Amino acid sequence: MTERARFDRGHTDDLMTFLAASPSPYHAVATAAERLEKAGFRQVAETDAWDAETSAASAAGSGGKYVLRGGAIVAWYVPEGAAPHTPFRIVGAHTDSPNLRVKPLPDSGAHGWRQVAVEIYGGPLLNSWLDRDLGLAGRLTLRDGSTRLVNVDRPLLRVPQLAIHLDRSVTADGLKLDKQRHMQPVWGLGGDVRDGDLIAFLEEAAGLPAGEVTGWDLMTHSVEPPAYLGRDGELLAGPRMDNLLSVHAGTAALAAVASSSSQPASIPVLAAFDHEENGSQSDTGADGPLLGNVLERSVFARGGSFEDRARAFAGSVCLSSDTGHAVHPNYAERHDPTHHPRVNGGPILKVNVNNRYATDGSGRAEFTAACEAAGVPFQSFVSNNSMPCGTTIGPITAARHGIRTVDIGVAILSMHSVRELCGADDPFLLAGALAAFLER
């Protein structure tokens, strides 16, 4: 048996299924909710009154609960007999990825080409979106205020790159893309651009009557499926691993803990937010009130007071799980010279003394204990002092809720590309560490 054979490739196979089923944040939370429901969770509405039965699992074993709001999901499992001041152990992640999103007036075109007007979401590697077969997915809002998911998962759009014969300087000077002029995809031919054509096409694709859609949140995605890569299949190439890899691992870990015969001492929580890629400031982002509201209502529904809420939050811990940078073999000088995370080396602990990551020494001890309990190796990541450091939902969660937070993740290459690359064993290792953390 090889060293790698001890890892569970079934988890990575399942991650590939999850990625393919989740071309938008709305699809990601629907897929996660479906998996949690199979583990006994049930949805509760934010507009309903929450009582003790809503907050906790019933004696009949109804499992955990979850709240959906747009592209975000918060799920939790209250063990039997948990006191109102019982602390929470939270896995935090985000459901959104950089991409091209459809504008309010989408129908465009010129010179006999029909195009879709798009806006750049987040910070994508624009060149990675060129000459890709793209589908279209997202959420349609109907006249009655209800929503419908739509996914055209076939080659529908393409952003064609300019031929080298018409841009002779591209090899020497590099590719220069104007976000407004150069990133509008084509989706057909026709001399006349007719307002409403794209939405009419999507209404038909979703099986809706003409004129039923009055709002939309739509985005492009590569239709190329995830795939193992490398001589021995030791790598995984796929879309949206930043950060659906963590959403999938967190969902699997929470479902496993809730289904276990042993009762955790804390309340396990999964919080997967939208809009991390553009600052998290929304009602479904980490800088919004969603997580705090859910946790507080859980405390109060179990008969707790503000004092119980304060005690619960003070004793809580959050693992903010997001992808990080593996050392790049062609650009090793861009990394810190003494911190070179490698793929398939286990999850990474992310540290930045300027609080771009929330990890401190006590957080390192917390994550060390979880990895030791799971038998999982881990690595440390810091940025090169000469390079600006990215950030995550970690510092936001810590500052907004006063909850001790640790930034972790999986090391990948090609972050923010339409197609990213990770080690095929690391998703399984991350899920094991998260489950051990939730069980502690």
Side-chain angles (χ1 to χ4, degrees):
M1 177 182 290
T2 66
E3 177 67 14
R4 286 196 311 102
R6 67 189 178 92
F7 296 114
D8 180 6
R9 281 301 178 86
H11 178 90
T12 306
D13 292 342
D14 190 61
L15 169 62
M16 295 165 72
T17 301
F18 188 90
L19 293 172
S22 306
S24 78
Y26 314 107
H27 288 83
V29 298
T31 305
E34 180 181 3
R35 288 162 177 249
L36 289 171
E37 286 181 353
K38 290 180 179 178
F41 285 67
R42 64 180 177 88
Q43 185 175 2
V44 294
E46 291 183 85
T47 54
D48 290 344
W50 290 11
D51 54 19
E53 173 63 20
T54 303
S55 176
S58 71
S62 63
K65 309 297 183 293
Y66 70 90
V67 164
L68 287 184
R69 187 193 291 180
I73 182 170
V74 179
W76 67 102
Y77 175 78
V78 180
E80 186 176 349
H85 61 268
T86 299
F88 301 94
R89 296 185 76 81
I90 306 160
V91 171
H94 67 88
T95 61
D96 61 319
S97 302
N99 55 22
L100 313 179
R101 301 206 172 188
V102 175
K103 289 183 175 180
L105 300 176
D107 297 291
S108 178
H111 307 291
W113 293 96
R114 299 178 70 183
Q115 295 176 274
V116 175
V118 297
E119 191 172 4
I120 309 301
Y121 178 82
L125 285 171
L126 293 178
N127 63 292
S128 72
W129 288 85
L130 302 178
D131 297 331
R132 293 274 185 178
D133 295 336
L134 303 176
L136 200 59
R139 178 179 66 175
L140 302 173
T141 303
L142 312 186
R143 289 189 177 278
D144 62 2
S146 63
T147 60
R148 180 77 62 87
L149 298 185
V150 64
N151 181 15
V152 181
D153 194 30
R154 66 171 177 83
L156 179 68
L157 308 113
R158 187 180 180 91
V159 183
Q161 188 169 189
L162 185 65
I164 193 171
H165 312 81
L166 303 178
D167 186 10
R168 296 287 184 178
S169 65
V170 66
T171 302
D173 299 338
L175 180 65
K176 297 179 176 62
L177 294 170
D178 183 283
K179 293 180 179 180
Q180 179 61 41
R181 293 185 295 123
H182 299 151
M183 296 305 297
Q184 308 306 308
V186 300
W187 76 302
L189 300 173
D192 297 326
V193 175
R194 297 182 297 274
D195 289 341
D197 275 1
L198 179 68
I199 300 306
F201 167 79
L202 293 173
E203 285 174 331
E204 183 178 357
L208 295 168
E212 187 67 18
V213 173
T214 57
W216 51 87
D217 302 280
L218 299 166
M219 58 207 71
T220 58
H221 66 275
S222 172
V223 299
E224 186 180 3
Y228 287 110
L229 184 145
R231 185 191 67 178
D232 299 320
E234 67 267 43
L235 302 171
L236 174 65
R240 300 176 296 282
M241 286 194 280
D242 178 15
N243 185 32
L244 294 188
L245 189 158
S246 295
V247 176
H248 173 262
T251 302
L254 179 61
V257 172
S259 301
S260 172
S261 58
S262 60
Q263 293 288 296
S266 299
I267 298 171
V269 180
L270 169 68
F273 302 102
D274 202 353
H275 302 130
E276 189 273 346
E277 298 293 355
N278 59 12
S280 296
Q281 292 185 321
S282 71
D283 68 319
T284 53
D287 205 17
L290 179 59
L291 176 62
N293 285 349
V294 168
L295 300 186
E296 287 181 352
R297 293 181 71 178
S298 175
V299 170
F300 298 149
R302 284 177 279 123
S305 63
F306 181 81
E307 182 73 7
D308 291 313
R309 179 263 187 214
R311 293 176 65 188
F313 278 44
S316 297
V317 186
C318 174
L319 290 189
S320 165
S321 182
D322 204 345
T323 54
H325 303 294
V327 62
H328 197 300
N330 299 335
Y331 300 92
E333 73 281 359
R334 303 293 182 95
H335 301 265
D336 182 85
T338 59
H339 293 76
H340 282 175
R342 302 191 176 203
V343 298
N344 287 335
I348 56 175
L349 178 74
K350 299 194 278 189
V351 177
N352 180 264
V353 295
N354 294 302
N355 275 8
R356 301 293 284 172
Y357 303 131
T359 307
D360 62 10
S362 65
R364 179 183 178 89
E366 186 74 53
F367 188 57
T368 298
C371 289
E372 288 179 348
V376 167
F378 75 92
Q379 311 173 81
S380 295
F381 171 84
V382 296
S383 290
N384 186 308
N385 284 324
S386 300
M387 307 289 293
C389 179
T391 190
T392 67
I393 66 167
I396 294 171
T397 303
R400 182 171 183 84
H401 306 296
I403 291 175
R404 184 157 57 104
T405 302
V406 189
D407 273 296
I408 65 161
V410 162
I412 70 171
L413 294 182
S414 305
M415 187 184 295
H416 286 200
S417 171
V418 73
R419 196 166 176 83
E420 296 161 324
L421 186 70
C422 76
D425 298 326
D426 282 332
F428 170 69
L429 296 174
L430 174 65
L434 295 182
F437 164 76
L438 292 177
E439 289 171 346
R440 278 174 52 81

